[in-house]
mmCIF file of all heavy atoms in Angstrom:
data_model
loop_
_atom_site.group_PDB
_atom_site.id
_atom_site.type_symbol
_atom_site.label_atom_id
_atom_site.label_comp_id
_atom_site.label_asym_id
_atom_site.label_seq_id
_atom_site.Cartn_x
_atom_site.Cartn_y
_atom_site.Cartn_z
ATOM 1 N N LEU H 1 -37.936 -12.276 41.750
ATOM 2 C CA LEU H 1 -39.253 -11.664 41.753
ATOM 3 C C LEU H 1 -39.765 -11.308 40.367
ATOM 4 O O LEU H 1 -40.975 -11.026 40.204
ATOM 5 C CB LEU H 1 -39.263 -10.395 42.581
ATOM 6 C CG LEU H 1 -38.800 -10.542 44.048
ATOM 7 C CD1 LEU H 1 -38.784 -9.218 44.767
ATOM 8 C CD2 LEU H 1 -39.703 -11.507 44.750
ATOM 9 N N ILE H 2 -38.934 -11.335 39.341
ATOM 10 C CA ILE H 2 -39.329 -10.829 38.031
ATOM 11 C C ILE H 2 -40.353 -11.734 37.322
ATOM 12 O O ILE H 2 -41.128 -11.252 36.495
ATOM 13 C CB ILE H 2 -38.066 -10.755 37.103
ATOM 14 C CG1 ILE H 2 -38.369 -9.834 35.883
ATOM 15 C CG2 ILE H 2 -37.627 -12.129 36.669
ATOM 16 C CD1 ILE H 2 -38.432 -8.354 36.265
ATOM 17 N N GLU H 3 -40.554 -12.998 37.801
ATOM 18 C CA GLU H 3 -41.444 -13.912 37.141
ATOM 19 C C GLU H 3 -42.859 -13.906 37.715
ATOM 20 O O GLU H 3 -43.614 -14.870 37.492
ATOM 21 C CB GLU H 3 -40.845 -15.337 37.148
ATOM 22 C CG GLU H 3 -39.557 -15.456 36.381
ATOM 23 C CD GLU H 3 -39.778 -15.119 34.863
ATOM 24 O OE1 GLU H 3 -40.741 -15.521 34.295
ATOM 25 O OE2 GLU H 3 -38.826 -14.488 34.298
ATOM 26 N N HIS H 4 -43.208 -12.937 38.524
ATOM 27 C CA HIS H 4 -44.539 -12.895 39.163
ATOM 28 C C HIS H 4 -45.648 -12.809 38.124
ATOM 29 O O HIS H 4 -45.529 -12.172 37.136
ATOM 30 C CB HIS H 4 -44.662 -11.665 40.100
ATOM 31 C CG HIS H 4 -44.064 -11.959 41.484
ATOM 32 N ND1 HIS H 4 -44.096 -13.165 42.093
ATOM 33 C CD2 HIS H 4 -43.454 -11.081 42.346
ATOM 34 C CE1 HIS H 4 -43.544 -13.039 43.260
ATOM 35 N NE2 HIS H 4 -43.154 -11.827 43.497
ATOM 36 N N ASP H 5 -46.792 -13.473 38.416
ATOM 37 C CA ASP H 5 -48.001 -13.288 37.656
ATOM 38 C C ASP H 5 -48.549 -11.903 37.893
ATOM 39 O O ASP H 5 -48.249 -11.284 38.887
ATOM 40 C CB ASP H 5 -49.048 -14.298 38.042
ATOM 41 C CG ASP H 5 -48.654 -15.726 37.712
ATOM 42 O OD1 ASP H 5 -47.792 -15.923 36.828
ATOM 43 O OD2 ASP H 5 -49.144 -16.664 38.381
ATOM 44 N N LYS H 6 -49.414 -11.428 36.914
ATOM 45 C CA LYS H 6 -49.901 -10.045 36.985
ATOM 46 C C LYS H 6 -51.398 -10.018 36.620
ATOM 47 O O LYS H 6 -51.909 -10.920 35.970
ATOM 48 C CB LYS H 6 -49.115 -9.180 36.023
ATOM 49 C CG LYS H 6 -47.650 -9.140 36.374
ATOM 50 C CD LYS H 6 -46.872 -8.327 35.346
ATOM 51 C CE LYS H 6 -45.387 -8.262 35.768
ATOM 52 N NZ LYS H 6 -44.703 -9.548 35.694
ATOM 53 N N ILE H 7 -52.064 -8.954 37.049
ATOM 54 C CA ILE H 7 -53.466 -8.717 36.694
ATOM 55 C C ILE H 7 -53.548 -7.312 36.111
ATOM 56 O O ILE H 7 -53.002 -6.346 36.674
ATOM 57 C CB ILE H 7 -54.429 -8.829 37.923
ATOM 58 C CG1 ILE H 7 -54.328 -10.243 38.470
ATOM 59 C CG2 ILE H 7 -55.875 -8.471 37.562
ATOM 60 C CD1 ILE H 7 -55.210 -10.408 39.764
ATOM 61 N N TYR H 8 -54.275 -7.188 34.992
ATOM 62 C CA TYR H 8 -54.412 -5.908 34.292
ATOM 63 C C TYR H 8 -55.890 -5.607 34.085
ATOM 64 O O TYR H 8 -56.672 -6.504 33.877
ATOM 65 C CB TYR H 8 -53.731 -5.892 32.932
ATOM 66 C CG TYR H 8 -52.202 -6.072 32.960
ATOM 67 C CD1 TYR H 8 -51.671 -7.302 32.890
ATOM 68 C CD2 TYR H 8 -51.405 -4.937 33.051
ATOM 69 C CE1 TYR H 8 -50.281 -7.468 32.869
ATOM 70 C CE2 TYR H 8 -50.028 -5.077 33.051
ATOM 71 C CZ TYR H 8 -49.487 -6.291 32.984
ATOM 72 O OH TYR H 8 -48.097 -6.482 32.991
ATOM 73 N N LEU H 9 -56.227 -4.323 34.046
ATOM 74 C CA LEU H 9 -57.505 -3.804 33.535
ATOM 75 C C LEU H 9 -57.237 -3.296 32.119
ATOM 76 O O LEU H 9 -56.411 -2.367 31.929
ATOM 77 C CB LEU H 9 -58.055 -2.751 34.436
ATOM 78 C CG LEU H 9 -59.330 -2.047 33.965
ATOM 79 C CD1 LEU H 9 -60.488 -3.026 33.879
ATOM 80 C CD2 LEU H 9 -59.677 -0.899 34.870
ATOM 81 N N VAL H 10 -57.926 -3.847 31.168
ATOM 82 C CA VAL H 10 -57.634 -3.578 29.743
ATOM 83 C C VAL H 10 -58.827 -2.998 29.039
ATOM 84 O O VAL H 10 -59.966 -3.395 29.258
ATOM 85 C CB VAL H 10 -57.321 -4.986 28.993
ATOM 86 C CG1 VAL H 10 -56.883 -4.749 27.553
ATOM 87 C CG2 VAL H 10 -56.274 -5.767 29.744
ATOM 88 N N GLU H 11 -58.520 -1.997 28.162
ATOM 89 C CA GLU H 11 -59.490 -1.456 27.242
ATOM 90 C C GLU H 11 -58.958 -1.575 25.799
ATOM 91 O O GLU H 11 -57.742 -1.309 25.574
ATOM 92 C CB GLU H 11 -59.809 -0.001 27.553
ATOM 93 C CG GLU H 11 -60.593 0.130 28.878
ATOM 94 C CD GLU H 11 -60.983 1.596 29.127
ATOM 95 O OE1 GLU H 11 -60.815 2.477 28.185
ATOM 96 O OE2 GLU H 11 -61.409 1.925 30.226
ATOM 97 N N MET H 12 -59.815 -1.952 24.860
ATOM 98 C CA MET H 12 -59.458 -2.060 23.466
ATOM 99 C C MET H 12 -60.568 -1.611 22.531
ATOM 100 O O MET H 12 -61.715 -1.556 22.974
ATOM 101 C CB MET H 12 -59.000 -3.468 23.183
ATOM 102 C CG MET H 12 -60.105 -4.473 23.270
ATOM 103 S SD MET H 12 -59.704 -6.130 22.687
ATOM 104 C CE MET H 12 -59.756 -5.880 20.960
ATOM 105 N N LYS H 13 -60.200 -1.301 21.291
ATOM 106 C CA LYS H 13 -61.187 -1.032 20.255
ATOM 107 C C LYS H 13 -60.953 -1.993 19.066
ATOM 108 O O LYS H 13 -59.811 -2.366 18.735
ATOM 109 C CB LYS H 13 -61.062 0.398 19.686
ATOM 110 C CG LYS H 13 -61.610 1.492 20.579
ATOM 111 C CD LYS H 13 -61.461 2.833 19.920
ATOM 112 C CE LYS H 13 -61.997 3.944 20.821
ATOM 113 N NZ LYS H 13 -61.819 5.270 20.145
ATOM 114 N N PHE H 14 -62.070 -2.470 18.503
ATOM 115 C CA PHE H 14 -62.028 -3.305 17.334
ATOM 116 C C PHE H 14 -61.945 -2.472 16.028
ATOM 117 O O PHE H 14 -62.429 -1.365 15.976
ATOM 118 C CB PHE H 14 -63.263 -4.227 17.263
ATOM 119 C CG PHE H 14 -63.207 -5.289 18.350
ATOM 120 C CD1 PHE H 14 -63.988 -5.131 19.522
ATOM 121 C CD2 PHE H 14 -62.474 -6.359 18.180
ATOM 122 C CE1 PHE H 14 -64.007 -6.129 20.460
ATOM 123 C CE2 PHE H 14 -62.476 -7.420 19.152
ATOM 124 C CZ PHE H 14 -63.227 -7.257 20.295
ATOM 125 N N GLY H 15 -61.372 -3.060 15.014
ATOM 126 C CA GLY H 15 -61.435 -2.452 13.680
ATOM 127 C C GLY H 15 -60.285 -1.521 13.327
ATOM 128 O O GLY H 15 -60.317 -0.860 12.287
ATOM 129 N N TYR H 16 -59.247 -1.458 14.235
ATOM 130 C CA TYR H 16 -58.128 -0.653 13.937
ATOM 131 C C TYR H 16 -56.770 -1.480 14.017
ATOM 132 O O TYR H 16 -56.683 -2.292 14.913
ATOM 133 C CB TYR H 16 -57.994 0.443 14.959
ATOM 134 C CG TYR H 16 -59.097 1.504 14.888
ATOM 135 C CD1 TYR H 16 -60.237 1.419 15.673
ATOM 136 C CD2 TYR H 16 -58.987 2.672 14.042
ATOM 137 C CE1 TYR H 16 -61.236 2.317 15.633
ATOM 138 C CE2 TYR H 16 -60.006 3.627 14.024
ATOM 139 C CZ TYR H 16 -61.114 3.442 14.826
ATOM 140 O OH TYR H 16 -62.126 4.378 14.791
ATOM 141 N N LEU H 17 -55.896 -1.220 13.123
ATOM 142 C CA LEU H 17 -54.558 -1.786 13.226
ATOM 143 C C LEU H 17 -53.561 -0.641 13.221
ATOM 144 O O LEU H 17 -53.564 0.203 12.292
ATOM 145 C CB LEU H 17 -54.273 -2.693 12.017
ATOM 146 C CG LEU H 17 -52.891 -3.264 11.866
ATOM 147 C CD1 LEU H 17 -52.507 -4.182 13.033
ATOM 148 C CD2 LEU H 17 -52.685 -3.966 10.540
ATOM 149 N N THR H 18 -52.657 -0.599 14.167
ATOM 150 C CA THR H 18 -51.580 0.387 14.268
ATOM 151 C C THR H 18 -50.217 -0.312 14.324
ATOM 152 O O THR H 18 -50.161 -1.444 14.722
ATOM 153 C CB THR H 18 -51.734 1.366 15.436
ATOM 154 O OG1 THR H 18 -51.512 0.601 16.655
ATOM 155 C CG2 THR H 18 -53.075 1.987 15.490
ATOM 156 N N ASP H 19 -49.210 0.378 14.063
ATOM 157 C CA ASP H 19 -47.843 -0.249 14.066
ATOM 158 C C ASP H 19 -47.450 -0.629 15.459
ATOM 159 O O ASP H 19 -46.636 -1.582 15.676
ATOM 160 C CB ASP H 19 -46.795 0.675 13.415
ATOM 161 C CG ASP H 19 -46.771 2.051 14.037
ATOM 162 O OD1 ASP H 19 -47.618 2.356 14.901
ATOM 163 O OD2 ASP H 19 -45.884 2.875 13.634
ATOM 164 N N THR H 20 -47.954 0.062 16.478
ATOM 165 C CA THR H 20 -47.557 -0.246 17.886
ATOM 166 C C THR H 20 -48.590 -1.109 18.624
ATOM 167 O O THR H 20 -48.377 -1.514 19.747
ATOM 168 C CB THR H 20 -47.424 1.056 18.674
ATOM 169 O OG1 THR H 20 -48.690 1.784 18.588
ATOM 170 C CG2 THR H 20 -46.326 1.976 18.141
ATOM 171 N N LEU H 21 -49.706 -1.434 17.934
ATOM 172 C CA LEU H 21 -50.780 -2.244 18.456
ATOM 173 C C LEU H 21 -51.561 -1.520 19.604
ATOM 174 O O LEU H 21 -52.310 -2.084 20.340
ATOM 175 C CB LEU H 21 -50.302 -3.600 18.997
ATOM 176 C CG LEU H 21 -49.688 -4.490 17.993
ATOM 177 C CD1 LEU H 21 -49.298 -5.837 18.605
ATOM 178 C CD2 LEU H 21 -50.578 -4.714 16.722
ATOM 179 N N ASP H 22 -51.300 -0.199 19.733
ATOM 180 C CA ASP H 22 -52.073 0.633 20.639
ATOM 181 C C ASP H 22 -52.571 1.860 19.920
ATOM 182 O O ASP H 22 -52.144 2.189 18.755
ATOM 183 C CB ASP H 22 -51.322 1.001 21.926
ATOM 184 C CG ASP H 22 -50.054 1.800 21.615
ATOM 185 O OD1 ASP H 22 -50.124 2.775 20.840
ATOM 186 O OD2 ASP H 22 -48.965 1.469 22.204
ATOM 187 N N ILE H 23 -53.483 2.618 20.543
ATOM 188 C CA ILE H 23 -54.103 3.724 19.911
ATOM 189 C C ILE H 23 -53.215 4.899 19.609
ATOM 190 O O ILE H 23 -53.539 5.785 18.808
ATOM 191 C CB ILE H 23 -55.363 4.188 20.731
ATOM 192 C CG1 ILE H 23 -56.328 4.988 19.912
ATOM 193 C CG2 ILE H 23 -54.861 4.965 21.954
ATOM 194 C CD1 ILE H 23 -57.003 4.237 18.807
ATOM 195 N N GLU H 24 -52.006 4.891 20.229
ATOM 196 C CA GLU H 24 -51.094 6.013 20.031
ATOM 197 C C GLU H 24 -50.210 5.794 18.797
ATOM 198 O O GLU H 24 -49.454 6.689 18.409
ATOM 199 C CB GLU H 24 -50.236 6.194 21.253
ATOM 200 C CG GLU H 24 -50.971 6.582 22.512
ATOM 201 C CD GLU H 24 -50.098 6.848 23.697
ATOM 202 O OE1 GLU H 24 -48.939 6.456 23.624
ATOM 203 O OE2 GLU H 24 -50.602 7.462 24.680
ATOM 204 N N GLY H 25 -50.303 4.617 18.124
ATOM 205 C CA GLY H 25 -49.477 4.320 16.981
ATOM 206 C C GLY H 25 -50.025 4.860 15.700
ATOM 207 O O GLY H 25 -51.152 5.444 15.644
ATOM 208 N N GLU H 26 -49.262 4.699 14.651
ATOM 209 C CA GLU H 26 -49.740 5.078 13.328
ATOM 210 C C GLU H 26 -50.777 4.058 12.811
ATOM 211 O O GLU H 26 -50.492 2.874 12.779
ATOM 212 C CB GLU H 26 -48.516 5.110 12.347
ATOM 213 C CG GLU H 26 -48.927 5.454 10.925
ATOM 214 C CD GLU H 26 -47.711 5.344 9.990
ATOM 215 O OE1 GLU H 26 -46.574 5.134 10.473
ATOM 216 O OE2 GLU H 26 -47.946 5.429 8.752
ATOM 217 N N ILE H 27 -51.929 4.615 12.366
ATOM 218 C CA ILE H 27 -52.942 3.727 11.869
ATOM 219 C C ILE H 27 -52.566 3.140 10.467
ATOM 220 O O ILE H 27 -52.291 3.949 9.538
ATOM 221 C CB ILE H 27 -54.358 4.475 11.763
ATOM 222 C CG1 ILE H 27 -54.821 4.855 13.166
ATOM 223 C CG2 ILE H 27 -55.342 3.564 11.076
ATOM 224 C CD1 ILE H 27 -56.097 5.625 13.162
#
């Protein structure tokens, strides 16, 4: 079952780079 396809609802912001690639990481 591990190889199932998935659907996500995604939110992102442009113009920022963090070490974790999410808003909680170090800018």
Side-chain angles (χ1 to χ4, degrees):
L1 302 177
I2 199 71
E3 297 299 320
H4 278 325
D5 295 336
K6 299 173 177 70
I7 299 176
Y8 295 93
L9 176 62
V10 184
E11 290 183 12
M12 63 172 286
K13 283 183 181 179
F14 289 101
Y16 294 91
L17 173 65
T18 68
D19 55 355
T20 58
L21 301 183
D22 61 46
I23 199 63
E24 295 183 346
E26 177 186 351
I27 296 178

